[in-house]
C-alpha cells in the first residue's frame, strides 16, 4: 500500500462501501473528480492494494484515456479493460463471453479475433460484446473497472462507458471514472456525459479535496522521515497549494534549491536524468502519457538495451512506472511538461517515428484507433502525403467512431490540393465530399453537411445521373432538417432524373428516400411508400423493404390515422431485415412517436429511451439522440414525469442539436414553462419560433408548425390573449391538409377555447368554424379526448366540464388535462356559489396539481380558494408542497438554502446551470413561493436546509 497517501481515508472508505454495494446489489458507479496532482491514481492504487488477498477475490481492471489532439484515441481505455480480462482469464474465455459479438470485438482485438466488416450496427454489437465480457468476468469474481482521465476520452469511448453504466445489470462491478473538473468547464461533450452518469441511481460523485496544513505536515514527515520545520511546512504548503503531487516534488529537494514555480518542481525531477534518457522520455510523451514497451522500442530506432536503460533510470527517479507491458508517466503532468519542452522540429521528427513504428507493427495498437493514430502522428509531423493516405484508411476503417471519422474527412479535404493525385488514393472528390456529408449528418453537424453536399453537387458531372439523384435527395433532407428552403426543388429535379434511370435496385432505394422526404414534409406519401415497399421486394432488397415499411407504417399513423395498421408495419420492419444504425433508429423514432399519438405513453417512453441508448452507442447522440429525447420527453410530460423530462431536455440542448431538433426541444420546454406558470419564460422561447405561424419562416416543417400552433395557442389562452390563440388556430386552418390528424386535434381544442372566449365577448360564431373543421378530421385514437375538451370549451358550463372530467378520468390522456378541467369546473362552482362542491373539488385538486408541479393550475386554484374563503389551513399549505418534491428536488433545495447559485448547484450535482434552473423553478412552483429566499425559509422550517 502506498505509504505517502494521506488525508484520503474517507475517500477510500467510500470506494470500499460502493464496492460492497456492488457485490450485494449489482453495478455501482463512482465519478472521482480531482484536479491534476490531487492523487486520483494513488487513491485507486491504494484501493487495489487494500483488495489484495481479499476473500472473496476482487479483480481490478484499469483503462487509461490517452490524449491525442483535441480528444483521445478511439476506445483506448476500453482496450485496457479487455486486455486485463484477457490476461486474467485467457483468450478462450474472453471470446466465449463475447458470444455473438465476438467478430465486433475483433475491431479492438485483431490479434485475437478476425474483425467484422464495417456496418451501421457494428458499434452497437461492439458495445454489447464488451458488456458481456465484463459480465462474464464479474461472474467469476467481483470487478473494479477503472477508467482514468475521462476528460481525455474520445466520443466513442464515452458512448461505450454510458452503455456499460446502464447495461451491466445486477452484476458485481464497481465502475470508477476519474477526471479533472477543470477540464470539464466549457466542454460541450464531457459535461453532458458526466451529468448523464451522475443522474443514475447507482452513481455517486467523489470530489477529492486539496490537503490542509496537518495533512501536508504528515506527508512531508512520511517522505523525509522527519517532521518538517514550521517554516518549511508553511513554504511548501504555500507553493504547492495543498496539491499532494507538488508537495512530493518539492519535498525531495534541498531548501536552498526550491524552484520558483511549480513547473520547476516537474523539471527538477527530470533534470536528474541525462540527455539521452530525457530524449527517450520526449519520444514517450509524443506517444501519449502511456506507451507499449515494444512500440517505444520500435519508435526509438535504438538498441533495446539502451532504451531499457533509459526507462530503468526514469523508473528509478519516479518519473515513469511500469504497468504490465506498458510504460506510463507517474503523473500525466510529466508527459505534458516534457512534450511542451520539445522544439517544433523535434516534435515533427518524433511523431514521424511513432507513425512509422505503428505502420511497421500495427499489432501494437488497437484496430479501432490504429489508423486514426497514424494519421494524427503524420499530421503532427507535417508529412502531407502520408497524413492523407492514413486519413483515407481511417475513414474506411469502420463506423464505430463517427465524430473521429468526420475529423479524418475534414483532414482529407484540407490536404486535397497539397498532395499529388489525391483521387488515386481517396477516389473522386465528389464522392469524398458526399461521404463526409453523410458522416457530418450522423454526428449532427447539419450545416456542415449541407456545405459539403452542395459542394459535391457542384462538382457532379452531367454523366453521373445516379450520383446527382442521390446527392439531391440527401441535400433535400438536410435542408428540411435544418429548416432551410430548397428541399422541394431538389426533390423535383431528382424525380425528373430518376425517370431516365433503368437500374431497378437503384430506383427502389430512391423511391424509399422520396417517400421518407414526403412524409417529413406533410405531403401525400402513402402511394409512394407502398411503391417503395413493392419495388424493394421485387429486386430482393430485404433491408430496403424493411426501411420502406418504416416509412409506410409512420405514414399510416401520422398521415392517415390508421393507427393499428401503421404500428403493425413498424413492428414488421423492426423484426424483419431492418439494418442496424440509422434505419433502426429511424424506426424507433417513428414507433415512439406513433405510440405517443395513440396515447400509449409509457410504451412510447420505453421505445424512445431504448433509442437514445442506441443513438449513443452509434455515436449519433447529437442527431438522432436529441430527436429521440424530444419524443421521450413529450411522453414523459403526458405521464407527469415533468422533472425527468426537464432534465432530458435541458441536457439535450447542451449538445447543440441541429435546427429542427432544437425547435422540437424548445417547444416542449416552452410548454413546460407555461404549465409551471413561468409565462415570461414561455413567451420568450415561443417568440423565437412564431415566424412559423406567420409565414416568415424559411422552411418550417409541418410537424413543428402544428406543434407550435398548439403550444403557442395554449399559452395565449392561459395568458389571457384569446385573439392570439385564434390567430394561431387560423394559421393552422389555412394549411390543415399538411398536418397529421393526431396533433390537429390538439389545435382544435385550442381553437375551441379561443372561439368560446371571443364569441362571448363580441357575439360572433367562430364556434361553428371550429366544429366544421373538427368534423373533417380522422377519428384517431385520442380524438375522443380532444373532442371532449373542445366541446367543454365551446359549451363552457358546469355540466360540460363535469362530463369532460369523467371522460378524462376514464381514459388515457395527458395528465395535465385533469387539473385543467378541475380548474375550469371550479370557476363555474364558484360562480354558482356551490361551496360544498367547490370545497370537495379544491381538497382533491390542489394537492394533485402541486404533486404534478402544474403551478399554472395550482396558483389559480389557490387564488380562487382564497377569494371564496375555502383555502387550506396554514399547516396543510406548508406541509403539502414539501411532500411533493422529488429526491433530486430536495437535494437542490438544500443547496438553494445554502445560498448556492444555479451555476454552483450545477457544478455540485454535475448538471448544467440550465438544468439547475429548471429544478429551482419546479421547486418554487411546488412550494408556491415567489423566490429563492422564501424557498430557503421553507427548507429551514422543515429541516432540509444545507
Amino acid at each position: 500500500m502506498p505509504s505517502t497517501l494521506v488525508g484520503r481515508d474517507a475517500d477510500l472508505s467510500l470506494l470500499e462501501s460502493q464496492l460492497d454495494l456492488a457485490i450485494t446489489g449489482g453495478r455501482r458507479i463512482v465519478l472521482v473528480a480531482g484536479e491534476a496532482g490531487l492523487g486520483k491514481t494513488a487513491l485507486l492504487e491504494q484501493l487495489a492494494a487494500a483488495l489484495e488477498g481479499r476473500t472473496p477475490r476482487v479483480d481490478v481492471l484499469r483503462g487509461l484515456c490517452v490524449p491525442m489532439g483535441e480528444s483521445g484515441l478511439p476506445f483506448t481505455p476500453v482496450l485496457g479493460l479487455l486486455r486485463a480480462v484477457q490476461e486474467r482469464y485467457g483468450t478462450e474465455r474472453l471470446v466465449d463471453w463475447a458470444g455473438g459479438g465476438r467478430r465486433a470485438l475483433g475491431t479492438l482485438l485483431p490479434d485475437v479475433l478476425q474483425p467484422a466488416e464495417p456496418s451501421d450496427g457494428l458499434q452497437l454489437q461492439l458495445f454489447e460484446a464488451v458488456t458481456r465480457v465484463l459480465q462474464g468476468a464479474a461472474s467469476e469474481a467481483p470487478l473494479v473497472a477503472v477508467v482514468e482521465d475521462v476528460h481525455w476520452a474520445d466520443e466513442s469511448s464515452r458512448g461505450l462507458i454510458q452503455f456499460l453504466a446502464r447495461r451491466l445489470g445486477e452484476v458485481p462491478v464497481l465502475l470508477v471514472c476519474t477526471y479533472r473538473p477543470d477540464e470539464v468547464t466549457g466542454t460541450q461533450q464531457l459535461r453532458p456525459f458526466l451529468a448523464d452518469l451522475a443522474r443514475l441511481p447507482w452513481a455517486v460523485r467523489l470530489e477529492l479535496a486539496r490537503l490542509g496544513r496537518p495533512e501536508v505536515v504528515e506527508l512531508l514527515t512520511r517522505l523525509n522521515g522527519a517532521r518538517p520545520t514550521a517554516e518549511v511546512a508553511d513554504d511548501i504548503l504555500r507553493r504547492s497549494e495543498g496539491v499532494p503531487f507538488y508537495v512530493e516534488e518539492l519535498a525531495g529537494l534541498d531548501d536552498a534549491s526550491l524552484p520558483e514555480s511549480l513547473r520547476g518542481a516537474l523539471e527538477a525531477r527530470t533534470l536528474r536524468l541525462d540527455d539521452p534518457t530525457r530524449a527517450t522520455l520526449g519520444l514517450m510523451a509524443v506517444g501519449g502519457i502511456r506507451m507499449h514497451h515494444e512500440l517505444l522500442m520500435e519508435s526509438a530506432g535504438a538498441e533495446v538495451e539502451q532504451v531499457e536503460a533509459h526507462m530503468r533510470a526514469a523508473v528509478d527517479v519516479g518519473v515513469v512506472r511500469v504497468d504490465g507491458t506498458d510504460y506510463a508517466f507517474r503523473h500525466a503532468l510529466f508527459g505534458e511538461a516534457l512534450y511542451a519542452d520539445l522544439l517544433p522540429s523535434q516534435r515533427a521528427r518524433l511523431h514521424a517515428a511513432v507513425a512509422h513504428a505503428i505502420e511497421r507493427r500495427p499489432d501494437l495498437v488497437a484496430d479501432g484507433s490504429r489508423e486514426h493514430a497514424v494519421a494524427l502522428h503524420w499530421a503532427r509531423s507535417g508529412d502531407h502525403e502520408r497524413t492523407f493516405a492514413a486519413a483515407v484508411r481511417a475513414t474506411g476503417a469502420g463506423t464505430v467512431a463517427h465524430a473521429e471519422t468526420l475529423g479524418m474527412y475534414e483532414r482529407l479535404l484540407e490536404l486535397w490540393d497539397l498532395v499529388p493525385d489525391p483521387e488515386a488514393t481517396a477516389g473522386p472528390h465528389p464522392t469524398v465530399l458526399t461521404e463526409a456529408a453523410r458522416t457530418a449528418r450522423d454526428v449532427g453537424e447539419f450545416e456542415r453537411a449541407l456545405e459539403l453536399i452542395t459542394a459535391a453537387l457542384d462538382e457532379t458531372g452531367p454523366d453521373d445521373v445516379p450520383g446527382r439523384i442521390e446527392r439531391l435527395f440527401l441535400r433535400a433532407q438536410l435542408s428540411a432538417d435544418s429548416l432551410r428552403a430548397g428541399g422541394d426543388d431538389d426533390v423535383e429535379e431528382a424525380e425528373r432524373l430518376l425517370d431516365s434511370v433503368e437500374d431497378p435496385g437503384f430506383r427502389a432505394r430512391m423511391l424509399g428516400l422520396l417517400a421518407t422526404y414526403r412524409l417529413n414534409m406533410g405531403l401525400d406519401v402513402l402511394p409512394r411508400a407502398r411503391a417503395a415497399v413493392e419495388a424493394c421486394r421485387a429486386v430482393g432488397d430485404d433491408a430496403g423493404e424493411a426501411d420502406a415499411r418504416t416509412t409506410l407504417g409512420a405514414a399510416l399513423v401520422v398521415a392517415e390515422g390508421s393507427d393499428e395498421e401503421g404500428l403493425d408495419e413498424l413492428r414488421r420492419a423492426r423484426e424483419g431485415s431492418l439494418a442496424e444504425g440509422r434505419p433502426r433508429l429511424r424506426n424507433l423514432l417513428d414507433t415512439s412517436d406513433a405510440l405517443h399519438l395513440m396515447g400509449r405513453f409509457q410504451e412510447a417512453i420505453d421505445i424512445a429511451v431504448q433509442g437514445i441508448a442506441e443513438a449513443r452507442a452509434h455515436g449519433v447522440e447529437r442527431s438522432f439522440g436529441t430527436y429521440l429525447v424530444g419524443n421521450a420527453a413529450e411522453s414523459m410530460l403526458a405521464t407527469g414525469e415533468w422533472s425527468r423530462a426537464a432534465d432530458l431536455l435541458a441536457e439535450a440542448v447542451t449538445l447543440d442539436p441541429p435546427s429542427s431538433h432544437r425547435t422540437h426541444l424548445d417547444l416542449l420546454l416552452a410548454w413546460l414553462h407555461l404549465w409551471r406558470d413561468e409565462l415570461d419564460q414561455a413567451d420568450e422561447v415561443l417568440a423565437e419560433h412564431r415566424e412559423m405561424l406567420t409565414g416568415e419562416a424559411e422552411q418550417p416543417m409541418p410537424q413543428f408548425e402544428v406543434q407550435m400552433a398548439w403550444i403557442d395557442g395554449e399559452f395565449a389562452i392561459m395568458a389571457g390573449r384569446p385573439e392570439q390563440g385564434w390567430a394561431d388556430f387560423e394559421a393552422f386552418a389555412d394549411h390543415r391538409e399538411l398536418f397529421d390528424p393526431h396533433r390537429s386535434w390538439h389545435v382544435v381544442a385550442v381553437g375551441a377555447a379561443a372561439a368560446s372566449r371571443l364569441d362571448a365577448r363580441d357575439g360572433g360564431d367562430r364556434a361553428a368554424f371550429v366544429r366544421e373543421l373538427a368534423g373533417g378530421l380522422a377519428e384517431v385514437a385520442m380524438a375522443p379526448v380532444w373532442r371532449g375538451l373542445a366541446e367543454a370549451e365551446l359549451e363552457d358550463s358546469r355540466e360540460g366540464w363535469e362530463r369532460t372530467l369523467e371522460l378524462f378520468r376514464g381514459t388515457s390522456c395527458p395528465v395535465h388535462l385533469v387539473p385543467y378541467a378541475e380548474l375550469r369546473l371550479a370557476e363555474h362552482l364558484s360562480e354558482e356559489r356551490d361551496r360544498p362542491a367547490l370545497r370537495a373539488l379544491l381538497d382533491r385538486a390542489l394537492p394533485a396539481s402541486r404533486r404534478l408541479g402544474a403551478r399554472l393550475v395550482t396558483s389559480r386554484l389557490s387564488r380562487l380558494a382564497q377569494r371564496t374563503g375555502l383555502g387550506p389551513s396554514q399547516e396543510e399549505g406548508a406541509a403539502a408542497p414539501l411532500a411533493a418534491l422529488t429526491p433530486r428536488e430536495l437535494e437542490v433545495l438544500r443547496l438553494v438554502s445554502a445560498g448556492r447559485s444555479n451555476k454552483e448547484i450545477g457544478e455540485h450535482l454535475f448538471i448544467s446551470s440550465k438544468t439547475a434552473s429548471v429544478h429551482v423553478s419546479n421547486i418554487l412552483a411546488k412550494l408556491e413561493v415567489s423566490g429563492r429566499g422564501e424557498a430557503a425559509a421553507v427548507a429551514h422550517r422543515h429541516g432540509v436546509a444545507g
Side-chain angles (χ1 to χ4, degrees):
M1 183 179 297
S3 62
T4 57
L5 193 69
V6 301
R8 301 293 184 221
D9 290 346
D11 302 321
L12 183 62
S13 294
L14 184 144
L15 288 170
E16 290 176 331
S17 67
Q18 290 298 307
L19 174 59
D20 290 339
L21 288 172
I23 291 172
T24 58
R27 45 74 165 94
R28 303 290 295 181
I29 303 167
V30 180
L31 303 172
V32 181
E35 62 185 294
L38 279 189
K40 299 182 293 295
T41 298
L43 174 65
L44 295 171
E45 287 176 347
Q46 181 151 347
L47 174 66
L51 295 175
E52 288 182 5
R54 174 168 168 164
T55 303
R57 186 184 85 241
V58 175
D59 289 337
V60 180
L61 318 177
R62 293 181 66 234
L64 185 66
C65 301
V66 178
M68 181 63 69
E70 296 181 358
S71 66
L73 293 175
F75 298 118
T76 302
V78 181
L79 180 61
L81 301 180
L82 293 174
R83 290 296 188 193
V85 173
Q86 182 185 12
E87 183 178 348
R88 177 77 189 184
Y89 293 103
T91 300
E92 185 176 343
R93 298 197 73 186
L94 181 143
V95 172
D96 183 58
W97 284 330
R102 57 174 58 91
R103 292 291 301 280
L105 203 62
T107 60
L108 296 187
L109 301 172
D111 57 322
V112 175
L113 294 158
Q114 178 68 32
E117 292 297 321
S119 68
D120 281 346
L122 183 59
Q123 190 173 72
L124 182 59
Q125 295 169 33
L126 172 64
F127 283 17
E128 291 174 339
V130 173
T131 302
R132 285 194 289 268
V133 167
L134 293 183
Q135 288 172 329
S139 69
E140 298 292 325
L143 296 182
V144 177
V146 177
V147 181
E148 294 195 61
D149 299 325
V150 295
H151 51 273
W152 282 325
D154 60 287
E155 186 171 334
S156 301
S157 293
R158 289 195 299 268
L160 177 46
I161 292 167
Q162 288 173 305
F163 190 87
L164 288 171
R166 285 172 166 78
R167 298 290 287 273
L168 278 170
E170 303 307 310
V171 294
V173 178
L174 174 63
L175 177 62
V176 182
C177 298
T178 73
Y179 67 95
R180 299 182 191 173
D182 53 321
E183 298 283 349
V184 178
T185 304
T187 304
Q188 284 187 336
Q189 295 83 2
L190 188 57
R191 180 177 289 279
F193 162 75
L194 292 169
D196 179 72
L197 292 181
R199 279 197 300 270
L200 296 173
W202 46 88
V204 298
R205 181 170 180 261
L206 171 60
E207 186 168 1
L208 301 187
R210 294 186 179 190
L211 303 182
R213 192 179 190 283
E215 290 83 14
V216 169
V217 170
E218 181 183 351
L219 180 54
L220 289 171
T221 302
R222 291 191 188 185
L223 291 167
N224 295 329
R227 188 176 179 85
T229 65
E231 182 181 1
V232 169
D234 289 341
D235 186 48
I236 291 181
L237 176 61
R238 175 181 57 82
R239 304 178 75 176
S240 69
E241 297 183 323
V243 177
F245 175 71
Y246 295 143
V247 173
E248 293 182 28
E249 294 306 303
L250 293 165
L253 301 170
D254 296 333
D255 290 349
S257 62
L258 284 172
E260 293 184 358
S261 69
L262 293 178
R263 182 179 177 186
L266 297 168
E267 294 173 346
R269 181 67 65 96
T270 58
L271 284 172
R272 300 179 189 180
L273 302 167
D274 59 26
D275 288 344
T277 301
R278 285 173 57 83
T280 300
L281 290 178
L283 173 62
M284 181 178 163
V286 163
I289 60 175
R290 186 184 193 91
M291 202 169 186
H292 194 283
H293 164 78
E294 292 188 38
L295 182 58
L296 179 61
M297 298 300 168
E298 192 75 28
S299 303
E303 294 294 330
V304 171
E305 293 79 4
Q306 183 182 13
V307 176
E308 286 179 341
H310 296 164
M311 300 312 294
R312 167 54 61 192
V315 169
D316 288 344
V317 300
V319 173
V320 169
R321 60 183 174 85
V322 178
D323 186 6
T325 58
D326 291 351
Y327 296 115
F329 286 110
R330 192 172 66 84
H331 195 284
L333 293 174
F334 279 126
E336 295 173 27
L338 284 161
Y339 189 85
D341 282 344
L342 293 172
L343 296 172
S345 59
Q346 289 176 299
R347 292 178 189 170
R349 176 174 55 81
L350 295 176
H351 276 294
V354 176
H356 272 305
I358 297 174
E359 289 180 335
R360 288 193 300 270
R361 290 290 308 277
D363 58 300
L364 298 178
V365 180
D367 187 59
S369 60
R370 182 188 306 139
E371 298 302 344
H372 289 80
V374 171
L376 290 168
H377 281 299
W378 280 128
R380 291 191 170 195
S381 78
D383 190 321
H384 295 332
E385 290 187 46
R386 286 192 169 97
T387 302
F388 190 85
V392 169
R393 294 194 299 272
T395 59
T399 57
V400 292
H402 298 291
E404 292 79 7
T405 300
L406 177 59
M408 290 293 107
Y409 274 118
E410 296 287 11
R411 199 172 293 276
L412 281 181
L413 296 171
E414 289 170 4
L415 295 175
W416 195 271
D417 295 329
L418 301 177
V419 299
D421 197 10
E423 292 198 351
T425 304
H429 195 246
T431 300
V432 173
L433 287 166
T434 301
E435 292 309 310
R438 294 188 198 281
T439 305
R441 175 195 59 181
D442 285 341
V443 296
E445 295 285 352
F446 284 14
E447 295 295 331
R448 180 57 178 151
L450 269 172
E451 293 173 359
L452 291 164
I453 198 62
T454 297
L457 279 164
D458 290 343
E459 296 181 18
T460 302
D463 295 336
D464 186 8
V465 175
R468 183 163 188 83
I469 293 171
E470 199 156 3
R471 288 162 192 154
L472 284 168
F473 275 128
L474 177 56
R475 186 168 71 175
Q477 193 56 61
L478 282 166
S479 297
D481 288 338
S482 302
L483 301 182
R484 290 181 174 274
D488 290 347
D489 293 339
D490 283 342
V491 168
E492 184 179 339
E493 181 183 351
E495 283 192 271
R496 187 173 65 252
L497 291 172
L498 190 58
D499 290 338
S500 64
V501 177
E502 296 181 359
D503 181 354
F506 179 81
R507 287 181 58 83
R509 283 196 302 113
M510 294 305 103
L511 284 174
L513 294 179
L514 173 61
T516 300
Y517 178 81
R518 294 185 68 85
L519 171 68
N520 292 339
M521 299 307 296
L523 304 174
D524 181 29
V525 62
L526 280 173
R528 286 170 174 82
R530 290 194 170 98
V533 170
E534 292 305 319
C536 289
R537 180 187 297 161
V539 298
D541 183 356
D542 294 339
E545 180 185 344
D547 194 35
R549 283 195 184 281
T550 292
T551 304
L552 176 59
L556 285 166
V557 175
V558 174
E560 192 76 5
S562 301
D563 295 341
E564 293 301 331
E565 183 184 356
L567 205 58
D568 185 59
E569 288 289 354
L570 288 164
R571 180 190 53 76
R572 288 178 63 190
R574 199 161 56 254
E575 295 176 354
S577 301
L578 190 67
E580 291 290 340
R582 171 172 285 274
R584 175 173 167 81
L585 287 170
R586 189 168 76 87
N587 182 280
L588 294 175
L589 183 71
D590 288 344
T591 302
S592 62
D593 186 52
L595 288 166
H596 173 83
L597 295 177
M598 297 166 66
R600 294 161 63 170
F601 303 126
Q602 189 56 55
E603 292 177 73
I605 292 171
D606 293 342
I607 290 286
V609 168
Q610 177 185 346
I612 293 168
E614 293 190 18
R616 289 192 184 112
H618 285 292
V620 291
E621 180 180 14
R622 198 173 151 223
S623 52
F624 267 107
T626 54
Y627 213 153
L628 281 155
V629 163
N631 280 16
E634 190 167 5
S635 289
M636 288 172 188
L637 294 176
T639 59
E641 296 182 82
W642 289 7
S643 294
R644 184 184 178 194
D647 280 354
L648 273 179
L649 292 168
E651 294 301 339
V653 167
T654 67
L655 294 173
D656 189 24
S659 301
S660 55
H661 304 193
R662 177 60 188 264
T663 298
H664 189 201
L665 302 176
D666 278 353
L667 294 181
L668 293 174
L669 283 168
W671 186 93
L672 193 55
H673 282 309
L674 166 64
W675 286 91
R676 285 177 167 174
D677 208 18
E678 299 160 356
L679 299 186
D680 288 343
Q681 293 97 313
D683 198 13
E684 183 179 347
V685 175
L686 292 169
E688 298 178 15
H689 302 286
R690 286 196 177 108
E691 61 181 14
M692 283 194 289
L693 301 178
T694 62
E696 298 173 8
E698 184 179 358
Q699 176 67 72
M701 290 182 74
Q703 65 195 87
F704 303 128
E705 192 172 353
V706 70
Q707 189 178 31
M708 179 64 189
W710 154 46
I711 294 174
D712 193 59
E714 275 194 13
F715 165 80
I717 298 302
M718 301 309 291
R721 308 175 192 171
E723 299 88 351
Q724 179 183 329
W726 184 251
D728 290 341
F729 177 73
E730 287 188 311
F732 152 79
D734 288 343
H735 305 286
R736 57 185 177 275
E737 70 281 354
L738 296 176
F739 307 129
D740 72 80
H742 297 269
R743 290 188 174 89
S744 294
W745 276 106
H746 293 210
V747 190
V748 165
V750 168
S756 175
R757 287 160 174 78
L758 293 174
D759 288 352
R761 181 188 302 175
D762 61 22
D765 191 17
R766 299 172 184 83
F769 179 52
V770 174
R771 288 192 171 100
E772 178 187 353
L773 191 149
L777 293 180
E779 190 65 20
V780 294
M782 294 293 289
V785 169
W786 298 109
R787 182 190 296 108
L789 177 60
E791 286 300 330
E793 294 283 12
L794 293 173
E795 181 180 337
D796 197 19
S797 67
R798 172 177 177 168
E799 293 75 15
W801 287 111
E802 286 175 336
R803 285 196 307 272
T804 300
L805 261 176
E806 185 177 353
L807 168 68
F808 289 169
R809 289 176 180 146
T811 188
S812 171
C813 70
V815 293
H816 75 286
L817 292 181
V818 170
Y820 173 72
E822 288 175 329
L823 170 64
R824 299 305 310 279
L825 175 58
E827 291 169 346
H828 284 282
L829 294 176
S830 174
E831 290 175 6
E832 296 178 8
R833 301 184 183 278
D834 188 342
R835 291 175 63 82
L838 179 57
R839 181 58 193 255
L841 178 61
L842 291 172
D843 285 347
R844 179 179 65 250
L846 271 169
S849 65
R850 284 196 187 99
R851 285 193 298 272
L852 180 59
R855 193 181 183 191
L856 182 73
V857 172
T858 306
S859 60
R860 297 177 188 212
L861 284 173
S862 295
R863 287 197 295 270
L864 190 151
Q866 290 165 5
R867 284 199 313 269
T868 57
L870 295 174
S873 68
Q874 185 175 359
E875 182 179 351
E876 291 172 337
L882 202 60
L885 298 185
T886 66
R888 173 48 68 94
E889 288 164 353
L890 284 170
E891 195 173 8
V892 172
L893 179 59
R894 288 188 184 95
L895 296 172
V896 168
S897 69
R900 301 287 189 93
S901 66
N902 288 343
K903 181 176 183 295
E904 291 169 332
I905 292 171
E907 290 172 350
H908 184 83
L909 297 180
F910 244 123
I911 56 179
S912 68
S913 58
K914 186 165 186 176
T915 301
S917 174
V918 169
H919 281 305
V920 171
S921 296
N922 196 29
I923 290 166
L924 298 183
K926 289 185 178 182
L927 298 183
E928 294 189 48
V929 295
S930 60
R932 300 166 71 96
E934 290 184 42
V938 173
H940 281 280
R941 281 200 304 271
H942 293 277
V944 295

